[in-house]
Amino acid sequence: MRLVILAVGTFVLGVDGFVLPGLLSDISRDLSVSVAAAGQLTTVFAVAYAVGSPVIATLAGRADRRVVIGAGMGAFLVGMVLQAAGPTFGVVVAGRVVAALGAAAFQANAFAVAGVLAAPERRARAFAVIGAGSSLAAVLGVPFGLLIGQVWGWRGTLWTIVVLAAVAAVLAGAFVPSITLPATTMRERLRVLVNPRIVTLLAVSALVLAPSFLLMAYASAVVGVSAPGSAGAILVALLVNGAGFFLGNRLVGRVADRFASLRVIVVSLGIVVVAAGSLSVVQRWFAPTLVVLFVLGVLGSMLFIPQQNRVFVAGGDVAAVALSLNGSMNYVGTAIGAGLGGVVLANAGAGWLGPAASVLAAAVLGVAAGTAPERRAAKPAVR
């Protein structure tokens, strides 16, 4: 139940993250910016999260994690208010920054607490429970948010997220147990970055989600090739992708606990290469496009949870620190994917998003397999 309460918070964060791609067209029209520029709201959020997470974790020190988690959701709420009420694109961007800092305080500590409380043989499943909030948001929150957007506009969707964030903040403050983690200074956190094994894994964390976000940050453009101007088609596509993400989340805990995390990641990236590349052929038809988006949704969980488990195990005595930095790297990957997607969309068009994601996934696969610390550790010493 402790993990379920934390999952309520990740549900709220997930609704915000997953629903935004479906609102880009409305945001761009209302704020008089291009769709590619509106898509950079994802990039701004990711960069602010990546930079803010280690700083917030250091300032929090030995503070009660219940307080930090509740305050984080409160800050996220303030950021969402700025976005919902923002009269200009600049104010909305500022709101994304504030919301990202709140999300960093909440999410990094939620996963750290889950990792500390769980037994080693059940850690991946504990992470999956926290991640289930995001997967449920993809299935239920996205269509609900988009339906609200169609009736009351994109600002109505964001005001709904404000209400959900208030509920999550109250629940976190009331029911999350008081837990303190070992305090670390910024110097100690940076010292983690001289550990070659952890640095290698963090670099992979910064890349592993980028191919999927290159596509999903611009889901409306991807679907627009086969169903131009159809708000219903975008809603269905995001719902199908969310259903895949939910299914992947239900499977990944047991898969990652049973099989080597590296193997799960390598196989998943290989499937991403094929699935994203196939969009160049099938994107002209709506149904095959939905199949690809469903597969990519399943693989999202299959990449996130195992990589997180690898970092936690490699962290050892500083696992909480490593996990915090890993959260930052995940959002660096989000920024990379959304940024590259914006460049591709602006210069080559929506038809090239799939091939670009496929090439990027192949490159990430090579990096993940070629730099894996597990493989080097498994090799016998040469005498």
Side-chain angles (χ1 to χ4, degrees):
M1 285 304 299
R2 293 171 178 175
L3 299 181
V4 169
I5 293 298
L6 294 173
V8 173
T10 58
F11 171 81
V12 177
L13 301 182
V15 172
D16 174 54
F18 282 113
V19 80
L20 186 63
L23 301 174
L24 292 185
S25 297
D26 293 339
I27 293 173
S28 67
R29 285 194 297 269
D30 190 23
L31 300 179
S32 300
V33 296
S34 67
V35 172
Q40 296 311 305
L41 291 172
T42 299
T43 306
V44 168
F45 186 99
V47 171
Y49 186 110
V51 174
S53 182
V55 175
I56 292 170
T58 301
L59 295 176
R62 294 187 180 276
D64 189 336
R65 296 299 124 168
R66 177 174 62 185
V67 175
V68 177
I69 286 172
M73 185 56 67
F76 174 81
L77 185 155
V78 172
M80 294 307 302
V81 170
L82 286 175
Q83 294 172 71
T88 66
F89 186 65
V91 175
V92 174
V93 169
R96 291 304 287 170
V97 172
V98 175
L101 295 177
F106 180 93
Q107 191 157 273
N109 282 285
F111 277 107
V113 168
V116 170
L117 293 178
E121 68 275 9
R122 298 183 63 86
R123 187 176 298 118
R125 270 170 277 188
F127 289 154
V129 171
I130 304 297
S134 296
S135 64
L136 191 61
V139 176
L140 300 179
V142 169
F144 179 66
L146 291 181
L147 286 173
I148 291 176
Q150 292 176 11
V151 177
W152 290 319
W154 67 274
R155 295 182 188 274
T157 299
L158 298 192
W159 281 118
T160 303
I161 296 174
V162 169
V163 174
L164 294 176
V167 173
V170 171
L171 289 176
F175 297 107
V176 172
S178 295
I179 297 176
T180 57
L181 299 177
T184 55
T185 65
M186 182 61 74
R187 178 177 295 181
E188 289 172 323
R189 288 178 174 272
L190 295 177
R191 193 177 300 159
V192 173
L193 297 178
V194 301
N195 182 321
R197 182 182 178 90
I198 297 178
V199 169
T200 299
L201 291 173
L202 290 177
V204 174
S205 295
L207 297 172
V208 72
L209 298 178
S212 296
F213 272 96
L214 189 155
L215 283 171
M216 294 315 302
Y218 300 96
S220 59
V222 172
V223 176
V225 174
S226 59
S230 174
I234 296 173
L235 190 153
V236 170
L238 291 176
L239 178 60
V240 167
N241 180 259
F245 192 85
F246 182 80
L247 175 62
N249 182 268
R250 304 312 301 160
L251 297 175
V252 68
R254 296 185 181 276
V255 171
D257 279 335
R258 181 175 180 181
F259 300 102
S261 292
L262 177 62
R263 181 183 301 176
V264 176
I265 290 170
V266 168
V267 172
S268 297
L269 281 172
I271 299 174
V272 171
V273 172
V274 176
S278 70
L279 274 178
S280 61
V281 177
V282 307
Q283 196 171 352
R284 290 172 293 176
W285 300 282
F286 185 58
T289 299
L290 292 182
V291 173
V292 173
L293 295 180
F294 177 81
V295 172
L296 291 174
V298 173
L299 296 173
S301 292
M302 292 293 176
L303 292 168
F304 173 62
I305 297 297
Q307 179 61 19
Q308 192 168 44
N309 196 40
R310 293 174 76 203
V311 172
F312 191 92
V313 172
D317 293 338
V318 290
V321 176
L323 203 59
S324 174
L325 293 172
N326 184 71
S328 294
M329 292 302 102
N330 288 150
Y331 276 92
V332 168
T334 302
I336 291 172
L340 290 176
V343 172
V344 172
L345 181 62
N347 292 280
W352 285 94
L353 288 171
S358 179
V359 171
L360 181 58
V364 176
L365 173 58
V367 172
T371 64
E374 298 96 324
R375 289 185 173 179
R376 292 198 297 273
K379 291 180 180 179
V382 178
R383 297 183 178 179

